[in-house]
Amino acid sequence: QKEVEQNSGPLSVPEGAIASLNCTYSDRGSQSFFWYRQYSGKSPELIMSIYSNGDKEDGRFTAQLNKASQYVSLLIRDSQPSDSATYLCAAPNAGGSQGNLIFGKGTKLSVKP
Amino acid sequence: SQTIHQWPATLVQPVGSPLSLECTVEGTSNPNLYWYRQAAGRGLQLLFYSVGIGQISSEVPQNLSASRPQDRQFILSSKKLLLSDSGFYLCAWSVGQPYGYTFGSGTRLTVV
């Protein structure tokens, strides 16, 4: 059974700090990874995708991928209360078809003012 | 630009009643379409996906079914709802690997 694992949290950080969210995956064949943000009661929103080892930066967000360790992370710099949400990590079901994604259960982030 | 519409937003249904949730996509052709369910305290569970009209694949055996009568329309149905069918139902579309999904706004279903 292919899996994507995340620490459920809650992760609490003060406003302005760096929030670090981590994810591991079991399928070595996975080539692309995604981070979604889900506010309470809302649907997930894609915020970052990463396909290559290393870092990818987009504004205050940085995604990091280490395929050898099967590890992907999301860093949020200068965290704001509006960043408080559940963050979902996702990877393709490489053994499946048509880009089906497997999602972790999410890490709940709370940014305290 | 592409948009995805999903309705209704909330639904309260008695046990044993039928269900029909609809999802439509605009601004793209031949999308891959997905139905996910998110139960309280659990992750996103893939229910069905479709790569074209009339082509449905089921990931989890259950009393739900899906249909794709048109290229950009995806319908989730049940003949008789169970209490365990309660959850947040999400429709999503993509153009395939390696791209991520775009989700609709979701339907919160409560079976009573």
Side-chain angles (χ1 to χ4, degrees):
Chain A
Q1 177 73 12
K2 299 179 178 67
E3 293 183 338
V4 174
E5 301 282 349
Q6 294 180 257
N7 186 327
S8 63
L11 173 65
S12 183
V13 301
E15 184 174 356
I18 296 175
S20 177
L21 306 163
N22 304 314
C23 172
T24 59
Y25 58 95
S26 62
D27 189 350
R28 286 192 171 275
S30 296
Q31 296 295 317
S32 50
F33 302 88
F34 307 92
W35 282 100
Y36 286 80
R37 177 177 61 199
Q38 186 175 23
Y39 291 114
S40 180
K42 303 296 185 182
S43 62
E45 172 192 14
L46 179 63
I47 56 172
M48 287 287 285
S49 57
I50 186 166
Y51 311 115
S52 305
N53 276 330
D55 295 358
K56 178 182 178 183
E57 187 174 319
D58 184 359
R60 295 186 296 112
F61 297 97
T62 299
Q64 299 175 318
L65 174 59
N66 184 326
K67 290 185 179 180
S69 300
Q70 295 177 244
Y71 178 92
V72 59
S73 64
L74 179 70
L75 301 178
I76 306 175
R77 292 183 301 281
D78 188 23
S79 296
Q80 301 296 310
S82 59
D83 295 325
S84 297
T86 297
Y87 289 81
L88 305 173
C89 173
N93 181 1
S97 61
Q98 306 309 319
N100 295 351
L101 294 181
I102 301 173
F103 287 83
K105 292 184 178 180
T107 298
K108 187 172 184 178
L109 172 66
S110 176
V111 181
K112 303 296 186 183
Chain B
S1 64
Q2 301 89 358
T3 57
I4 179 169
H5 303 279
Q6 193 178 341
W7 67 93
T10 59
L11 196 56
V12 180
Q13 292 284 99
V15 169
S17 64
L19 174 73
S20 181
L21 302 180
E22 188 163 343
C23 171
T24 59
V25 180
E26 296 178 357
T28 187
S29 296
N30 197 31
N32 295 335
L33 296 173
Y34 309 86
W35 279 111
Y36 277 82
R37 178 172 61 200
Q38 189 175 41
R42 300 185 64 181
L44 283 165
Q45 180 186 35
L46 178 62
L47 302 176
F48 300 94
Y49 66 92
S50 171
V51 301
I53 296 173
Q55 301 179 61
I56 308 295
S57 296
S58 174
E59 289 290 306
V60 181
Q62 56 213 326
N63 69 318
L64 300 173
S65 62
S67 61
R68 185 170 177 175
Q70 301 180 45
D71 180 46
R72 288 169 286 181
Q73 183 184 30
F74 205 23
I75 298 171
L76 181 70
S77 303
S78 174
K79 292 182 179 178
K80 289 186 177 182
L81 285 168
L82 307 172
L83 285 174
S84 58
D85 291 324
S86 294
F88 192 36
Y89 287 81
L90 291 155
C91 180
W93 75 273
S94 78
V95 294
Q97 292 199 36
Y99 306 102
Y101 299 164
T102 299
F103 284 94
S105 55
T107 295
R108 191 162 303 281
L109 171 66
T110 304
V111 183
V112 296

